[in-house]
Amino acid sequence: MPEYLFNQANVQKELTDFFVNEKAEISNFGSTVNQTFEAYVFANVIKWYQNNSWNVRIINPKTKGKPTFKLKFNTRGKPINYSYAFCTKEKKSCQIRHGLRTHTKYHRHTNSKSANIVCDIVVMEDIDIDYYTTDNALPNENLIAFGEVKHMSAYAELIASFIGLTYELKPDRLKRLRIKKWNRPDNISSFLYVSGLLYPTAKGIVETIERRKFDIDIYSFDNPMNE
């Protein structure tokens, strides 16, 4: 078996240990490998904030009056029914959400249909969305960053698709930002995270991203987050 294949059982145990204060069980981290990889990335984003001197607290929904850790592995569902991370640093605050519906940059309230995308990972401004229904979408101006998560190796078209997704959600990140004077801000950059490797053509697209100085990241087995 190739060493880069994602080991669901091992990761579920690691996640149980990571979320020990939430009394999470292995079953909380998905029944499919895809779902467990999403949970793994959600935890890694939390670690990124912890590593960058943010204080992080998990906010859990209540089941029969008792806080219960629960991630969102479906495009449907009210945000209030799922766990999220509340992060603070000095006077700054944000939330890390899983599976949150978000308006695109180009959505207008005059649209006949809502232009929104359910993002695997969302870092958002600290606003109250407890009243959201399953169809409500986060206003784009409250979106700080997003993450796309894929349990697969990456080919060129996948990287290009992520650039297109960034254009819809955070087009301001597709400018020449990572120049010599650029320093990584307090918040994470939008990212694509694949569980496998980058094929040669995908690496070629990543090289063009670096040359164009876009403020986005591509993570993979051999380029993991937080390492």
Side-chain angles (χ1 to χ4, degrees):
M1 178 181 295
E3 65 172 6
Y4 63 84
L5 291 183
F6 186 73
N7 190 313
Q8 182 182 21
N10 285 353
V11 171
Q12 284 175 326
K13 292 177 182 177
E14 292 173 5
L15 289 170
T16 303
D17 291 339
F18 182 73
F19 290 105
V20 63
N21 291 335
E22 315 312 318
K23 298 180 180 179
E25 300 178 357
I26 285 179
S27 59
N28 291 116
F29 303 114
S31 57
T32 69
V33 181
N34 290 8
Q35 291 173 340
T36 302
F37 185 58
E38 282 188 24
Y40 166 82
V41 175
F42 178 73
N44 264 276
V45 175
I46 291 173
K47 290 178 186 177
W48 188 96
Y49 276 83
Q50 291 173 331
N51 291 342
N52 285 273
S53 303
W54 288 74
N55 295 312
V56 181
R57 180 163 56 97
I58 305 299
I59 308 298
N60 292 315
K62 290 186 177 180
T63 301
K64 297 181 180 179
K66 183 179 179 181
T68 305
F69 182 81
K70 185 179 182 182
L71 294 181
K72 187 174 182 287
F73 295 115
N74 199 303
T75 57
R76 309 298 296 169
K78 300 177 181 178
I80 196 174
N81 293 332
Y82 301 94
S83 301
Y84 68 94
F86 172 60
C87 309
T88 57
K89 182 178 182 180
E90 298 171 349
K91 295 182 179 180
K92 298 182 286 290
S93 62
C94 67
Q95 298 176 21
I96 305 170
R97 297 272 182 168
H98 177 221
L100 186 67
R101 191 176 299 278
T102 306
H103 277 134
T104 72
K105 180 69 173 179
Y106 308 100
H107 167 81
R108 297 293 180 269
H109 294 297
T110 53
N111 283 16
S112 60
K113 301 291 183 181
S114 177
N116 67 68
I117 295 168
V118 177
C119 300
D120 296 325
I121 306 292
V122 163
V123 179
M124 55 175 278
E125 293 178 351
D126 181 31
I127 63 170
D128 179 20
I129 60 171
D130 283 353
Y131 65 92
Y132 277 25
T133 69
T134 186
D135 293 317
N136 285 127
L138 179 75
N140 189 268
E141 57 265 29
N142 299 124
L143 176 66
I144 296 171
F146 72 94
E148 181 77 351
V149 181
K150 298 292 184 183
H151 172 52
M152 60 189 299
S153 288
Y155 45 89
E157 290 83 356
L158 181 62
I159 308 296
S161 176
F162 173 68
I163 295 172
L165 188 59
T166 304
Y167 181 80
E168 290 297 316
L169 291 167
K170 296 292 289 182
D172 58 310
R173 300 296 89 191
L174 300 179
K175 298 177 181 178
R176 290 186 62 84
L177 297 175
R178 293 189 178 182
I179 54 178
K180 289 183 179 180
K181 294 181 179 179
W182 182 81
N183 290 310
R184 186 174 289 279
D186 277 334
N187 281 292
I188 201 169
S189 298
S190 294
F191 65 87
L192 168 67
Y193 206 141
V194 297
S195 61
L197 305 173
L198 302 187
Y199 294 132
T201 54
K203 289 181 179 179
I205 300 293
V206 171
E207 286 182 4
T208 74
I209 290 173
E210 293 171 350
R211 188 171 66 245
R212 287 177 282 176
K213 310 298 183 184
F214 291 169
D215 182 21
I216 56 177
D217 288 304
I218 310 297
Y219 297 111
S220 61
F221 171 83
D222 52 355
N223 181 38
M225 185 183 291
N226 298 319
E227 290 187 20

